[in-house]
């Protein structure tokens, strides 16, 4: 069973007038590491730098992304959000990804970026655009 899931590309990669992608790149989640310190330490997924894909079809990847996840409706029936972890944000992707994988789901990055996100505006831009 397949799930199409990735971190979204930044809006700098699309034309605001037409809504079309300006690149043939795609993000692929491929590494994880702990971020922060002490009680606030959490696992965070990284991704490879976006580049033109050699393979022009969805590619298997090891992680599930909450922000972009397309699949058949049975995913949320078979792998519902954990009722014992209400309001979880840091850790949600690891939790859902592991439970989905053990249920038989595989995760794929799309062939190219099809959805975008504004990651760096206002105060956030100062931190992200160092």
């Amino acid at each position: 069973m397949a799930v199409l899931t990735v971190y979204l590309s930044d809006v700098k990669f699309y034309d605001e007038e037409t809504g079309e992608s300006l690149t043939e790149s795609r993000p692929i989640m491929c590494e994880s590491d702990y971020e922060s310190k002490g009680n606030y330490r959490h696992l965070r997924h990284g991704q490879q730098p976006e580049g033109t894909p050699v393979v022009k079809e969805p590619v298997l990847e090891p992680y599930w992304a909450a922000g972009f996840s397309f699949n058949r409706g049975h995913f949320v029936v078979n792998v519902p959000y954990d009722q014992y972890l209400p309001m979880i944000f840091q850790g949600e992707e690891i939790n859902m990804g592991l439970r989905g994988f053990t249920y038989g789901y595989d995760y794929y990055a799309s062939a190219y970026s099809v959805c975008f996100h504004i990651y760096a505006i206002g105060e956030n831009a100062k931190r992200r655009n160092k």
Side-chain angles (χ1 to χ4, degrees):
M1 298 176 283
V3 177
L4 192 62
T5 184
V6 295
Y7 283 153
L8 303 178
S9 294
D10 200 324
V11 292
K12 63 186 174 188
F13 295 120
Y14 89 106
D15 184 327
E16 289 186 31
E17 290 183 23
T18 65
E20 293 187 21
S21 178
L22 297 175
T23 180
E24 291 184 8
S25 70
R26 67 168 162 215
I28 297 177
M29 297 182 298
C30 59
E31 63 179 33
S32 287
D33 200 359
Y34 285 98
E35 187 174 84
S36 202
K37 293 184 173 140
N39 292 337
Y40 300 102
R41 193 168 185 213
H42 59 276
L43 198 58
R44 178 165 176 80
H45 299 316
Q47 68 183 37
Q48 72 179 26
E50 292 192 37
T52 304
V54 175
V55 178
K56 305 283 187 185
E57 59 188 35
V59 174
L60 193 63
E61 66 179 352
Y63 305 114
W64 179 81
F68 184 90
S69 178
F70 285 89
N71 41 262
R72 293 193 169 265
H74 53 69
F75 182 81
V76 295
V77 172
N78 294 333
V79 189
Y81 280 91
D82 192 332
Q83 64 181 344
Y84 298 106
L85 297 172
M87 308 299 280
I88 188 172
F89 182 74
Q90 302 295 353
E92 162 201 27
E93 292 174 333
I94 292 292
N95 182 299
M96 293 292 288
L98 288 172
R99 291 187 307 114
F101 179 77
T102 58
Y103 202 89
Y105 290 94
D106 291 319
Y107 306 115
Y108 293 88
S110 57
Y112 53 89
S113 294
V114 295
C115 192
F116 302 88
H117 186 284
I118 300 172
Y119 285 106
I121 60 172
E123 288 296 315
N124 196 24
K126 293 176 188 172
R127 290 187 313 169
R128 289 192 172 265
N129 298 326
K130 294 180 180 178

